[in-house]
Amino acid sequence: ERYVGSYDDVTMGYIGLVPGNTYYISVDSYNTSTYGTFTLCLEDQVDYDYYEGAIDVTGFINSCSPDAAYDTRGATPDKNAGSNWNNSGPKYNRWFKFTAPATGQ
């Protein structure tokens, strides 16, 4: 993954690691004059960048999320484009899910 700006968090993930296998992470600089410190964080929880980590937004039915609660920066493309998408995507999609209410609306 590449950073977007000097103070950007680079996030990446993968579904399907094999338990017991060893994996390597390499961090590099953009060029010989862009180097410095960084923090590395690892998690074993799938986030909403993946279908499997879709955020349940059922509680927002008849309401809205807080402004700017979610962000496509750092997201990765996966699965198929939505039927009305017009961006040759997906590009930076995030995943959400909800359970339909009893009215079916």
Side-chain angles (χ1 to χ4, degrees), residues 4-103:
V4 175
S6 297
Y7 300 99
D8 187 31
D9 288 337
V10 176
T11 303
M12 57 185 281
Y14 183 76
I15 303 276
L17 298 177
V18 177
N21 279 9
T22 300
Y23 296 88
Y24 297 87
I25 299 169
S26 178
V27 178
D28 199 359
S29 296
Y30 181 71
N31 59 41
T32 58
S33 64
T34 56
Y35 50 85
T37 63
F38 62 92
T39 300
L40 180 65
C41 303
L42 301 174
E43 294 183 23
D44 64 354
Q45 300 298 312
V46 179
D47 70 8
Y48 75 126
D49 191 27
Y50 293 91
Y51 171 84
E52 295 84 352
I55 294 174
D56 189 335
V57 293
T58 303
F60 292 148
I61 293 176
N62 296 320
S63 65
C64 301
S65 74
D67 288 346
Y70 307 104
D71 196 340
T72 57
R73 288 177 288 189
T76 56
D78 62 335
K79 302 285 185 187
N80 297 324
S83 60
N84 290 328
W85 289 9
N86 183 359
N87 69 346
S88 303
K91 303 279 189 203
Y92 306 101
N93 61 320
R94 297 292 194 183
W95 289 94
F96 303 89
K97 63 183 178 181
F98 68 94
T99 302
T103 62

